[in-house]
Amino acid sequence: MGLDDRDALRILRDTVDPAFGSDELIRRFYTRWFAIDMSVRDLFPPDMTAQRKAFAKALTWLFGELVDQRAQEPVAFLAQLGRDHRKYGVTQRHYDSLQDALLTTLRTQLIEEWDDRLAEATHDAVALLVGVMRGAADAEKGPPFCDGTVIELIRATRDVSVIRLQLDRPLYYHPGQYVTVQVPQWPRRWRYLSPSIPADRGGGIEFHVRSVPGGMVSPAIVAETRPGDRWRVSNPHGGMHIDRDGGDVLMVAGGTGLAPLRTLIMDLTRKAVNPRVHLFFGARYPCELYDLQTLWQVASHNPWLSVTPVSEYNTDPPWAADFPDVQPPRGLHVRQTGTLPAVVTRYGSWGDRQILICGSPEMVEATKAALLAKGAPAERIQHDPLA
């Protein structure tokens, strides 16, 4: 029965599910893979904790989708993984050893339940996983990444830096997409960032980076990046967009979640007629609304754009004096005080708008839940993946 055997697929899903204690299984898989092919170890960071968790979560979702006989999203996901993994230097040989290690580990784990049906389902599921990734990677002929040089660094707030690079070649992406970047301070650790300007034919690109407490890569980017550093930028991902025939737009940005929405807004300025756009831009303190000057300049020349600044606290902390003044001239809406979900829904459900939300996963989830509770249709809400 293979991929039609839902009972066998459920066994596989539960075996790899972290909720059922798959940590040791995933650890054994990587140990076996590295033993089969020692060159694989160089593709991964020294600390494998996050990698093991992500792999277990991905396997659980993939097997769960197969249990429900849904193939479209898993195939698209695996194809994207295959294309994206080219940036790590993954070769066809690595896919062979991956398949061998995963099949052997699962068979060893399930030895007491192993029979012809489970063997067939396991073989077909692993073959699908590896085959789609391998095929997508092999079909992609362009380079998997682009290198560039940091040319300017602006410390906008205590936690946020604006970083501008000159890429060795233009990187073409749609407004609203995101990329992964590798910085010299952390080789082999890639971090998701969204360009804050539309694609530039001259190779210029800009990122807004917030130092995440407890993070490994973002604090180094904010505190240690210097002009002359060489960054590596992957090909773009994501599909957040504005449908020009889909009506007016609500945007909700928390902190550096502004970047992709800013790119979409700047792309709209190239067109003569646009839908109305209302942007709520939020942060903890007024001084952390780091890009209000730019937003004021855009709004002052484009009457279709309205901007409402939002801060959780009404006054700035003492350290704000050490960083640039972010207050724009008069012209934007009066700054509101409160959390973004509370302030945005104070004005209603926005159910007649296209809704785009960007920021921390916690903010995105809270804002989406608040809008849904007010009656906004779920199908009109867009955001990037939260994990």
Side-chain angles (χ1 to χ4, degrees):
M1 296 179 67
L3 294 179
D4 293 324
D5 191 338
R6 294 190 178 190
D7 291 335
L9 292 170
R10 284 192 188 93
I11 293 173
L12 291 175
R13 180 196 62 193
D14 294 346
T15 299
V16 300
D17 191 343
F20 297 147
S22 67
D23 294 354
E24 185 56 34
L25 166 71
I26 301 301
R27 187 184 299 273
R28 287 202 305 271
F29 156 70
Y30 278 107
T31 300
R32 187 182 303 274
W33 192 16
F34 296 161
I36 292 173
D37 186 350
M38 290 187 290
S39 69
V40 174
R41 186 65 186 89
D42 291 335
L43 304 178
F44 292 94
D47 182 1
M48 290 289 293
T49 304
Q51 173 65 29
R52 287 193 295 266
K53 289 180 180 178
F55 185 65
K57 186 175 181 180
L59 278 183
T60 304
W61 176 80
L62 285 166
F63 289 147
E65 292 292 288
L66 294 178
V67 168
D68 294 332
Q69 299 293 287
R70 293 193 293 257
Q72 184 175 354
E73 283 194 43
V75 168
F77 171 73
L78 290 168
Q80 181 60 60
L81 275 184
R83 290 188 291 267
D84 195 43
H85 275 57
R86 296 184 309 134
K87 70 175 183 269
Y88 298 108
V90 174
T91 67
Q92 296 296 314
R93 186 186 73 180
H94 295 141
Y95 286 113
D96 292 334
S97 58
L98 164 64
Q99 185 164 349
D100 186 6
L102 188 54
L103 278 171
T104 303
T105 304
L106 289 171
R107 184 173 64 247
T108 303
Q109 179 72 16
L110 297 167
I111 191 65
E112 295 182 2
E113 302 167 84
W114 200 255
D115 57 19
D116 290 343
R117 289 180 58 185
L118 185 54
E120 184 180 1
T122 305
H123 178 273
D124 289 356
V126 173
L128 174 69
L129 185 155
V130 175
V132 173
M133 291 180 64
R134 183 204 301 267
D138 191 48
E140 195 74 18
K141 301 306 180 185
F145 52 75
C146 179
D147 292 335
T149 303
V150 175
I151 58 174
E152 187 174 11
L153 172 73
I154 300 170
R155 192 69 177 268
T157 76
R158 183 176 64 172
D159 298 328
V160 174
S161 286
V162 176
I163 300 169
R164 294 174 180 145
L165 290 89
Q166 178 62 47
L167 300 177
D168 296 347
R169 60 175 177 84
L171 180 67
Y172 295 108
Y173 51 88
H174 298 295
Q177 287 192 298
Y178 57 91
V179 299
T180 55
V181 301
Q182 179 184 253
V183 299
Q185 292 86 355
W186 282 100
R188 301 201 303 275
R189 282 193 179 273
W190 294 77
R191 189 183 191 279
Y192 291 104
L193 294 177
S194 295
S196 58
I197 60 173
D200 175 42
R201 292 181 180 274
I205 195 168
E206 178 184 287
F207 297 109
H208 298 175
V209 186
R210 177 176 175 265
S211 177
V212 178
M216 300 186 72
V217 180
S218 61
I221 294 177
V222 171
E224 301 174 19
T225 296
R226 298 290 183 269
D229 284 356
R230 294 284 288 174
W231 283 25
R232 179 158 287 178
V233 183
S234 79
N235 290 328
H237 306 273
M240 192 162 54
H241 67 285
I242 292 174
D243 180 359
R244 294 186 58 77
D245 298 319
D248 293 337
V249 182
L250 167 69
M251 295 181 172
V252 185
T256 53
L258 175 66
L261 302 183
R262 181 187 195 266
T263 306
L264 286 161
I265 289 170
M266 295 180 74
D267 184 62
L268 289 177
T269 65
R270 300 169 171 177
K271 302 172 178 67
V273 178
N274 288 302
R276 290 183 302 160
V277 177
H278 195 119
L279 168 67
F280 286 85
F281 175 34
R284 289 169 300 173
Y285 300 105
C287 65
E288 293 181 315
L289 298 166
Y290 63 91
D291 208 32
L292 286 183
Q293 293 279 354
T294 301
L295 296 174
W296 173 82
Q297 291 173 5
V298 175
S300 65
H301 292 88
N302 296 277
W304 46 264
L305 176 63
S306 300
V307 179
T308 298
V310 180
S311 63
E312 294 183 30
Y313 300 96
N314 197 37
T315 57
D316 284 329
W319 52 258
D322 297 334
F323 297 94
D325 181 9
V326 303
Q327 293 303 314
R330 292 177 61 86
L332 297 182
H333 287 273
V334 175
R335 179 173 52 81
Q336 304 290 303
T337 303
T339 64
L340 275 168
V343 173
V344 170
T345 54
R346 195 181 296 164
Y347 294 86
S349 72
W350 302 89
D352 60 336
R353 303 286 183 109
Q354 302 177 67
I355 302 173
L356 285 71
I357 312 173
C358 294
S360 69
E362 296 77 16
M363 185 282 286
V364 172
E365 289 180 328
T367 303
K368 182 177 181 180
L371 287 165
L372 291 173
K374 279 284 188 175
E379 63 272 15
R380 292 184 67 83
I381 300 177
Q382 298 180 56
H383 56 80
D384 285 331
L386 299 179

